[in-house]
Amino acid sequence: MTARPDGRRLVVALSGGQKNTLKGAPMSGHGTPIPMTSAKCGPLKGTADVPGDKSISHRSLILGAMAIGETRITGLLEGEDVLDTAKAMRAFGAEVIDHGGGEYSVYGVGTGGFAEPDQVIDCGNSGTGVRLIMGAMATSPITVTFTGDASLNSRPMARVTDPLALFGTQSVGRSGGRLPMTITGAHDPVPVHYTVPVPSAQVKSAVLLAGLNAPGQTIVVEKEATRDHTERMLAGFGADITSEETDEGRVITLTGQPELTPQTIVVPRDPSSAAFPVCAAIITPGSDVLVPGIGLNPTRAGLFTTLRDMRADLTYENERTEGGEPVADLRARFSPDLQGIEVPPERAASMIDEYPVLSVVASFAQGDTVMRGVKELRVKESDRIDAMATGLRANGVTVEDGPDWWTVTGMGHGNVPGGATCASHLDHRIAMSFMVLGMASEKPVSVDDGGPIATSFPIFEPLMASLGAQIRRDNH
Ligand code: S3P
């Protein structure tokens, strides 16, 4: 328990450790819809201990499964996406032990040691899970069938299977290169030299993971730098990997068939989850929220730079390095003078998952916030431009959009009407963004299904409630 500055006592997860003490009520991204409503609340106050980083959690399990011996992980995100990856690693022959409280051991089978699963691999809602696992198995002589939920089964997979085919991998999926899909790994893989045509860390990572079991050097070129957790972690596991900035872009060179050495991994807290309490505090009058231990890898921190450009009161405290990643405690306070800005398109990759909640903050700013170079938002868990534009318009906000851009016209504080129910389209970040909208709009905002929140942020509701948010489930 801790005391709020206003004297009320409430349960708040203690900062400083990696354990979250808040327990979310059971949620399911795969089950019955869970309608939710968020109503205007008083100041948000306290400490928000958000869960571990989703990207790093997936990679810890997958690389742990590709090393021989025990990889020990603390602070693993126990969201549905990551738990689906853990299940998949078991199906490939690795032992994954849950010690409780986000502590896991993975006993891996070695590079190229994956066994053929005797069941379909169901990655649920997770594009990262399925694409990275496809890469990891692509150069082993096994056949694997992948599937997912309705959202994942509608997403493009050719962006991964095209470069994997260069290693000698074969794949058969549904029309448009969609799941369910069966992949037969290369029996005699060759290394590849591949320029990633879209800014995607998932594609880059799939090629690098496939390159692990190919002889010689696999080279990946990316014109725009995307999150580099795979490169950092591969180096940590002892792979020979270099990254060089050139006129062509970032050139990553991996020498295949290393023996990966198991690691101890401390997963930093997820900046993409921190975005929700941070943005909620910025738009809710009187708020002052501390979000400790957030990973600030420059390939991930674009939202926070953007918020500061918009004159948000957001500071970094206690900057440090944890587990090889830069980390700080974020302090977010209500920001009455938010200004709309043109978000630099070259920043897009470093905040790609944060545009939905940024569009909510933009609704409370003065003037237009223009977001360009964001075509990738249309192929996430949902078409995120369409999902947010439709929902914001229904709540009284003016939004214009085109194929790779959108503009939100800010209404200033106290002027956003709210009052509508929005479709979450099986997308956790859409659901959470509309819940944040409801905290500061004049009338409550609802979503048809908050279940998908459990994929990445299973303690979202109790954590936000501990700060003072008013979110309720409508059918309970
Ligand atoms: C991720 C990469 C991004 C991001 C996703 C996580 C990763 O996807 O949107 O949530 O962990 O590699 P893309 O690679 O499609 O940009």
Side-chain angles (χ1 to χ4, degrees):
M1 301 281 272
T2 187
R4 285 163 53 120
D6 63 8
R8 277 163 51 202
R9 286 170 70 76
L10 65 159
V11 180
V12 178
L14 297 174
S15 59
Q18 278 293 306
K19 281 182 189 158
N20 272 298
T21 54
L22 295 174
K23 285 268 176 279
M27 279 182 159
S28 172
H30 309 301
T32 327
I34 303 174
M36 286 183 189
T37 295
S38 172
K40 199 170 189 174
C41 54
L44 299 170
K45 302 263 182 182
T47 299
D49 274 342
V50 303
D53 189 279
K54 182 152 73 70
S55 294
I56 296 176
S57 294
H58 282 295
R59 287 160 172 81
S60 309
L61 291 167
I62 295 169
L63 282 181
M66 297 177 90
I68 291 182
E70 182 190 8
T71 286
R72 186 91 182 187
I73 308 168
T74 46
L76 190 89
L77 166 65
E78 294 178 294
E80 288 171 0
D81 278 10
V82 174
L83 296 178
D84 283 333
T85 289
K87 207 164 143 197
M89 291 304 102
R90 292 187 183 108
F92 284 105
E95 197 180 347
V96 181
I97 301 169
D98 174 4
H99 300 292
E103 290 208 20
Y104 282 76
S105 293
V106 182
Y107 292 88
V109 291
T111 309
F114 276 180
E116 184 169 280
D118 57 10
Q119 53 198 289
V120 171
I121 299 297
D122 186 346
C123 290
N125 191 251
S126 182
T128 307
V130 76
R131 292 181 175 137
L132 267 56
I133 296 168
M134 283 176 172
M137 58 72 56
T139 42
S140 295
I142 56 175
T143 294
V144 184
T145 300
F146 293 94
T147 193
D149 70 5
S151 157
L152 189 58
N153 286 1
S154 70
R155 297 179 67 184
M157 294 298 146
R159 55 175 55 199
V160 172
T161 52
D162 286 352
L164 295 184
L166 304 174
F167 288 96
T169 303
Q170 292 176 314
S171 57
V172 185
R174 285 193 306 138
S175 58
R178 289 169 304 150
L179 302 180
M181 178 175 278
T182 297
I183 300 191
T184 299
H187 282 250
D188 216 352
V190 289
V192 312
H193 187 307
Y194 189 67
T195 300
V196 186
V198 286
S200 169
Q202 293 173 357
V203 175
K204 168 179 68 176
S205 301
V207 176
L208 290 172
L209 293 173
L212 277 177
N213 198 36
Q217 289 192 325
T218 285
I219 298 170
V220 185
V221 182
E222 56 175 5
K223 292 178 211 134
E224 291 170 58
T226 63
R227 65 192 70 194
D228 61 358
H229 306 302
T230 304
E231 296 93 301
R232 287 178 188 240
M233 207 179 276
L234 278 169
F237 274 79
D240 180 0
I241 182 164
T242 59
S243 192
E244 199 190 340
E245 303 301 334
T246 71
D247 292 343
E248 282 178 273
R250 187 179 278 184
V251 179
I252 304 147
T253 306
L254 171 75
T255 303
Q257 299 180 325
E259 188 150 319
L260 298 179
T261 315
Q263 294 299 300
T264 298
I265 299 171
V266 180
V267 180
R269 297 177 193 274
D270 199 326
S272 298
S273 296
F276 296 100
V278 163
C279 289
I282 284 170
I283 62 170
T284 306
S287 297
D288 183 352
V289 170
L290 186 69
V291 194
I294 299 306
L296 285 182
N297 180 318
T299 61
R300 295 289 299 283
L303 171 75
F304 306 127
T305 309
T306 301
L307 291 172
R308 300 218 277 196
D309 288 351
M310 294 172 79
R311 300 201 200 152
D313 185 350
L314 174 65
T315 50
Y316 299 167
E317 299 178 358
N318 196 12
E319 289 183 53
R320 56 204 186 269
T321 301
E322 278 177 13
E325 297 271 347
V327 160
D329 304 337
L330 306 185
R331 174 155 229 137
R333 296 185 181 92
F334 173 58
S335 309
D337 299 319
L338 291 172
Q339 297 296 319
I341 61 161
E342 170 127 16
V343 182
E346 62 276 13
R347 202 182 278 165
S350 69
M351 53 180 289
I352 195 67
D353 290 333
E354 284 66 72
Y355 282 95
V357 75
L358 174 66
S359 71
V360 170
V361 174
S363 306
F364 293 87
Q366 297 291 344
D368 287 355
T369 294
V370 185
M371 299 164 276
R372 292 188 208 281
V374 290
K375 194 165 63 188
E376 280 295 298
L377 290 179
R378 297 211 177 267
V379 290
K380 295 294 179 187
E381 285 83 331
S382 66
D383 175 340
R384 285 182 168 161
I385 297 179
D386 190 56
M388 288 309 300
T390 305
L392 286 173
R393 284 177 196 135
N395 281 286
V397 182
T398 301
V399 184
E400 285 182 63
D401 72 292
D404 67 346
W405 63 270
W406 49 322
T407 300
V408 175
T409 301
M411 309 180 85
H413 286 286
N415 298 320
V416 177
T421 299
C422 310
S424 63
H425 297 284
L426 283 180
D427 189 331
H428 51 134
R429 300 201 201 284
I430 300 301
M432 289 187 278
S433 296
F434 285 123
M435 291 296 91
V436 172
L437 179 71
M439 292 173 204
S441 56
E442 298 312 296
K443 291 196 199 126
V445 174
S446 302
V447 287
D448 61 346
D449 185 12
I453 294 171
T455 61
S456 70
F457 201 159
I459 59 165
F460 175 76
E461 288 165 274
L463 184 142
M464 293 311 301
S466 77
L467 301 175
Q470 304 285 336
I471 300 176
R472 60 163 204 266
R473 293 185 177 201
D474 294 326
N475 59 352
H476 290 270

